[in-house]
Each structure stands twice: as structure tokens, then as C-alpha cells.
Amino acid sequence: MRLKDVNPSFDTYVVARGPALMRLAWLLARDEHLAQDVVQEVLARASTRWNRIERMGSPDAYVRKMVVNELLSWRRRRHDVPTERLPERIAAGTYGGDPAGHAADRDEVIGLLATLPRQQRAVLVLRYYEGLDDEAIAAIVGCAPVTVRAHASKGLARLRAATSALKESL
């Protein structure tokens, strides 16, 4: 699909929010190609009903929900494979001002996120990466806010256990 064939306001939206949608999809999928496929599929579907989506008042929230739902229901489960090994080091802040060390820590945390079940990963990414509150996350994921808090609690507990195990093995 070429952008000039679509509504001009949709073109503007894709240019402005496309990279953020890709980052969100990648954080949830941990697979660049799957993230690209999902975002492309979602944007193709959104383009055909963009006028209606835009009239709802919050097109970004709607499209973000489309991305999350598409990833949560993706049929090709073989793409959602947890990492085979946990990172050797996970101690944020141990590098002082070294940007490379911080990048390594970020990559390790992202790797740990990949080991979480889809719902827990989606909740944590939407909460800490997108900065959404429980009600907004519940609307995107399609559950109650209390369920969002439960997924967040369980996901954080799993991440803490994984980092504790790493620290003990060092």
C-alpha cells in the first residue's frame, strides 16, 4: 500500500506514530519481522476505516489496542519463543556513566521480558514503556483493571526472581 493512496490524516498519523508502534510491537513480540508484519497488518486494516477511527476521538489509543490485540492473538505461536538463556549480568546502575553498559542492561531486561507470558509482558510494556495507567491498559488488553494489576504483580515477581537467580549465580 502506498501512502498517497490513503487519507492524508492517516498519512500524517503513520509518519508521526509509525516508529512508536513498531517499538511497541517489537517489545511485545521480541521478533523484528513479526513486529513489522503485525504493524503493517494493523495499519492496513486501520487505513480502510480511518475516518471512523479518527471520529472516535483517540485514534492512537485505538491503533495501539489493535497492535496489542493482534500480537496477543497471533496464530503463529512459533514466533513467541522465550530466550534459551538468561543474561549473565543484570545489575542496573553498575556502569556509572557508561552508555554501553546501560544499553547492555536494557537489552538484558528486554530479554527477560521475552520470557514472560504474553499478557504479563503486554501489561508491563504498556505500563512502563508506554506510561499508561491501569484503566487504559485494561481497555487495550480487554480485561478489568484488577486483572491488569494481577498481571503486573505476577510479571514483576517473575522478573525479580530471575534477577535474584542471576545475582546468586554470580
Side-chain angles (χ1 to χ4, degrees):
M1 173 186 318
R2 296 177 0 184
L3 285 179
K4 72 178 189 174
D5 298 334
V6 183
N7 184 326
S9 66
F10 180 73
D11 296 352
T12 304
Y13 174 79
V14 171
V15 169
R17 293 296 296 156
L21 292 172
M22 277 299 302
R23 284 189 300 271
L24 173 64
W26 183 83
L27 282 168
L28 294 172
R30 288 285 295 148
D31 180 317
E32 183 178 354
H33 300 292
L34 177 59
Q36 290 171 350
D37 289 346
V38 165
V39 170
Q40 182 177 4
E41 173 74 24
V42 164
L43 290 176
R45 283 196 329 258
S47 71
T48 62
R49 49 189 139 164
W50 185 249
N51 291 333
R52 189 175 26 166
I53 292 171
E54 198 171 35
R55 281 193 306 266
M56 285 189 240
S58 184
D60 193 45
Y62 189 85
V63 174
R64 190 176 8 199
K65 181 175 181 168
M66 289 175 72
V67 169
V68 171
N69 286 342
E70 184 70 20
L71 280 162
L72 290 176
S73 66
W74 193 258
R75 296 289 181 226
R76 294 182 231 172
R77 302 268 182 208
R78 63 189 153 109
H79 289 287
D80 192 23
V81 179
T83 56
E84 292 181 13
R85 67 167 188 83
L86 291 175
E88 297 172 2
R89 163 185 42 75
I90 184 82
T94 59
Y95 301 101
D98 179 17
H102 291 292
D105 281 347
R106 183 193 65 228
D107 290 344
E108 290 172 356
V109 169
I110 290 171
L112 287 173
L113 276 172
T115 66
L116 296 177
R118 290 174 182 234
Q119 292 282 355
Q120 291 175 10
R121 184 178 344 136
V123 166
L124 292 179
V125 167
L126 290 169
R127 178 181 279 180
Y128 295 106
Y129 176 74
E130 293 286 320
L132 300 177
D133 61 20
D134 292 344
E135 288 76 23
I137 296 169
I140 290 172
V141 177
C143 64
V146 69
T147 306
V148 168
R149 290 189 287 277
H151 284 310
S153 176
K154 290 176 184 175
L156 289 172
R158 287 183 68 167
L159 291 177
R160 283 186 195 107
T163 57
S164 293
L166 285 173
K167 287 178 183 178
E168 289 175 9
S169 68
L170 296 177

